Each structure stands twice: as structure tokens, then as C-alpha cells.
Amino acid sequence: KKQLGYGEFRIIVVTDGEANGEVQIKDAATYATSWGMPIYTIGLNMPGNHELKKYSMAYRAANSAEDLKKGLEESAAEDTTFDPTVFQKLKK
């Protein structure tokens, strides 16, 4: 509300392992999205996709320090689109 509808909060998760419980991941992801916070996940040296990929706005594999840096920069970058209706639900 203080930002007058500009910008967004984001959760950026960097993980190097699989979580122990899908229920906890789903609950956390549901909570974050209920507040309008998209999740961006970076899998660091992961052999496959992380369970969070299902709930993430974007998932990126990082197999080097350079990949991690690029992933963090892209995840934190300004969005190229702006939809003011997304913020209407937050103003209530």
C-alpha cells in the first residue's frame, strides 16, 4: 500500500537439496502466493528439478558461481510488465 501499487515482494529460494516434505513446501508456497509474493527458485548443483518448481514463477538450474549470479540477477530484476489489478487485492 505504501508503494502505491508499484513493485512487488518476491521470495527467492536458493537450494542445494530436496526438501523433506511436500506438504511443508505446498503450505509455504500457498501462504506466499496468498500474499501475492511469487517464488523464484534456483537449484544449485541439483541433479534434477526441485519440488518447488511446481510452485515457482521461475525455476533455474545453477551449476556454477556464474550461473548462480545470473539467476539471482534475473530473479531480482524489475518485471517488464506491470498489471495494476494484481495489487487491487492487496489494498483491501
Side-chain angles (χ1 to χ4, degrees):
K1 288 180 180 179
K2 290 180 182 180
Q3 291 182 212
L4 303 174
Y6 295 101
E8 70 177 358
F9 289 101
R10 295 178 184 187
I11 297 175
I12 301 172
V13 177
V14 178
T15 181
D16 66 349
E18 195 63 51
N20 291 337
E22 184 178 343
V23 173
Q24 290 91 353
I25 291 172
K26 184 178 179 183
D27 289 349
T30 301
Y31 180 80
T33 54
S34 74
W35 284 94
M37 291 184 280
I39 300 169
Y40 294 79
T41 304
I42 301 171
L44 186 59
N45 293 320
M46 296 280 297
N49 292 329
H50 194 276
E51 185 68 23
L52 265 175
K53 183 175 183 177
K54 291 185 208 175
Y55 307 101
S56 297
M57 197 74 163
Y59 178 89
R60 177 184 190 88
N63 296 316
S64 68
E66 186 61 34
D67 288 345
L68 177 58
K69 179 182 174 193
K70 187 183 280 187
L72 288 169
E73 288 171 351
E74 289 175 4
S75 297
E78 288 289 329
D79 238 351
T80 56
T81 60
F82 174 71
D83 181 2
T85 60
V86 171
F87 295 97
Q88 297 304 316
K89 66 181 176 184
L90 297 176
K91 291 182 180 180
K92 295 179 181 176

